[in-house]
Amino acid sequence: MIDEQQVVKVGMADLNVISGHGLIRTTGLGSCVGLTLYDPVKKVAGLAHVMLPSSEIAREGALNLAKYADTALDKLLEEVLAIGACQKRLVAKMAGGAQMFSFAGASDSMRIGPRNVEACKEKLQELGISLIAEDTGGNHGRTIELDVETGTLFIRSVQKGVKEL
Amino acid sequence: MDVLKEIGNIGAGNAATALSRLLNKPIDMAVPKVQMLPFEAISDRVGGAEQVVLAIFLRVEGDAPGNLFFILSPEAAKKLLHRLAGFEVCDGEDFTEMEWSALSEIGNILAGSYLSSLADFTMLQMTPTVPALAMDMAGAILSYGLLQFGEMGDSALLIDTTFIEGQHEVEGQFFLIPDPESFAKIFTALGVPLDHD
């Protein structure tokens, strides 16, 4: 008997993990970055929907770790390790970081997409996790979905259809 | 909250009038909703994060900065183009360059009238940036307006007004997302005492 395919959803500024079989998904990535960690042997994956590059600018009381590139990765790593992943086998994929609107003389906050991407890359490097595929930048939104059995990342966008990484 | 609702009322009222004039048809509007909403819930207001919408975005600068979105479904945009500019439009989600430019202009007029009435009413200086037009997933578009809030928490204040024409046809929605630091200025401008709770 085949189980109903489980789909784990990840909201904005949120993260979650999945193991065994099923999909982990986040919708409507604009300047946000969807970052996945995957252990192909243990079939364990994690996904974070990162909104901002750095927690240094945070003014909120209780820090939402999933929101910032510099804190989300540590937390995501901790969670995938907790459900059985091995850090040395982990590989990362990411998508998003678009610039949804273009303005002449764009200020720094307008460049938030590319900055999110850069921040995620820096953090991955720091953790020694290799980024094996990415679909970032541009000016379009993306919905992404990782199949935990195969590690395939499906990227859907309005203009460009579905892409597999 | 009532004050903010009034703000939405005045802005959208003016924009509805502008649209009525353009279309030469009565356009109604729903009473604005003012809510502190979690990020996720904001795109649900237009049918979910993946729903394809057409958005005119402009950044409000000046005394009370914030983000203003005018959101339309692609179908509503087509209808608007047909009635307003006499375009012979094709179904689907594709727009010609000419249609795109006309939409941008319509959005500009509506957003401008929304904003100028707010500025008149509050006596605050509010200048719009050049509007940008995009058609994409609602989540991707609206998240852009939430970045300022992202530094503060996981929810944002949304003033949301829907236009109605005839038989409950939704023509479009205005989303005003004032920056966190703008509330105090708006309240002070309107002479409302601030209570710190």
Side-chain angles (χ1 to χ4, degrees), chain A residues 11-12 27-30 51-52 57-60 64 67-68 100-101 103 110 112 140-143 156-159, chain B residues 39-40 49-50 52 57 69 129-130 132-137 139-141 143-144 146-147 150-154:
Chain A
M12 188 185 294
T27 53
L29 289 165
M51 192 175 178
L52 293 163
I57 49 165
R59 282 173 282 170
E60 59 191 321
N64 176 0
K67 196 189 296 176
Y68 308 96
M100 297 304 295
F101 298 98
F103 294 95
M110 301 290 178
I112 204 85
H140 59 279
R142 296 167 171 94
T143 281
R156 208 163 46 236
S157 67
V158 176
Q159 286 114 18
Chain B
F39 292 161
E40 287 297 302
E50 276 198 284
V52 175
F57 163 74
F69 291 93
T129 58
V130 177
L133 190 62
M135 188 173 69
D136 214 309
M137 299 172 183
I141 286 176
S143 65
Y144 192 79
L146 303 174
L147 294 173
E151 297 166 18
M152 306 281 292
D154 290 318

Side-chain angles (χ1 to χ4, degrees), chain B residues 17-89:
Chain B
T17 311
L19 189 60
S20 295
R21 277 207 207 109
L22 287 172
L23 287 172
N24 201 14
K25 258 186 201 158
I27 301 288
D28 252 339
M29 49 171 253
V31 176
K33 294 193 189 87
V34 179
Q35 271 173 300
M36 225 27 216
L37 281 178
F39 292 161
E40 287 297 302
I42 288 181
S43 38
D44 288 346
R45 282 288 179 85
V46 288
E50 276 198 284
Q51 183 69 43
V52 175
V53 296
L54 200 134
I56 288 145
F57 163 74
L58 48 89
R59 172 95 185 126
V60 182
E61 287 170 346
D63 295 331
N67 296 310
L68 181 64
F69 291 93
F70 180 54
I71 307 265
L72 285 162
S73 68
E75 302 82 64
K78 294 258 154 146
K79 241 193 288 177
L80 208 57
L81 281 171
H82 178 63
R83 293 217 206 100
L84 202 57
F87 280 94
E88 295 294 335
V89 288

Side-chain angles (χ1 to χ4, degrees), chain A residues 46-66:
Chain A
L47 168 63
H49 186 134
V50 172
M51 192 175 178
L52 293 163
S54 165
S55 61
E56 276 166 36
I57 49 165
R59 282 173 282 170
E60 59 191 321
L63 196 65
N64 176 0
L65 297 175

